[in-house]
Amino acid sequence: MVIAIDFDGCITTENCFPNISEPRPYVVEAIKHLQAAGHKCILWTCREGIYLEKAVCWLHEHDINLSGYNFSPYQLQSRKIVADVYIDDKNVFMVDDVDWHKIEEYILSLDNGEVKIVSYN
């Protein structure tokens, strides 16, 4: 699967653009486990230009090597990043609780790359 991951507040602890905060707990390990399982992880961020370059440098400094940066691996005539799963701190179920242990567990539990609809009743 292709996993699009937001940067500010998702990989990092805070959304403090244009600054960059610390990495979230377990984020490096979780991304590496997802990649080892054959998933393609790409950066999905509003950062561009020098701010994107700074984010990419920060990722490399923290030993996070992604398959692409604001790049859609699917060949479309659109600038939209297309992925099977999107990880974002603004997701209604993750606001103030981006837990990379849960994210990793969920993605690795998916059968045949099919995203499950999670019910929160």
Side-chain angles (χ1 to χ4, degrees):
M1 287 190 304
V2 175
I3 304 167
I5 307 171
D6 182 37
F7 184 71
D8 294 291
C10 193
I11 290 177
T12 65
T13 55
E14 296 179 49
N15 193 338
C16 57
F17 178 86
N19 299 319
I20 301 175
S21 63
E22 296 301 311
R24 281 201 177 268
Y26 195 66
V27 67
V28 174
E29 297 87 350
I31 291 173
K32 286 184 178 190
H33 293 159
L34 295 173
Q35 291 171 321
H39 300 296
K40 184 177 285 193
C41 297
I42 59 173
L43 187 68
W44 173 49
T45 180
C46 290
R47 286 178 177 259
E48 60 184 358
I50 187 72
Y51 301 111
L52 177 58
E53 291 175 27
K54 288 181 179 185
V56 171
C57 287
W58 183 96
L59 289 166
H60 290 166
E61 289 169 7
H62 289 85
D63 200 28
I64 301 172
N65 298 298
L66 303 178
S67 298
Y69 307 94
N70 281 353
F71 164 79
S72 182
Y74 299 108
Q75 300 301 315
L76 302 175
Q77 296 298 319
S78 171
R79 61 184 186 88
K80 182 174 181 168
I81 304 297
V82 178
D84 300 295
V85 175
Y86 298 85
I87 302 171
D88 192 324
D89 61 306
K90 300 301 183 202
N91 178 296
V92 70
F93 297 110
M94 283 201 287
V95 173
D96 298 326
D97 186 29
V98 178
D99 183 333
W100 278 94
H101 290 281
K102 291 178 184 175
I103 292 168
E104 175 189 25
E105 180 182 0
Y106 170 74
I107 292 173
L108 293 178
S109 76
L110 297 176
D111 294 326
N112 300 319
E114 294 181 17
V115 177
K116 297 177 184 176
I117 303 301
V118 180
S119 176
Y120 291 91
N121 295 331

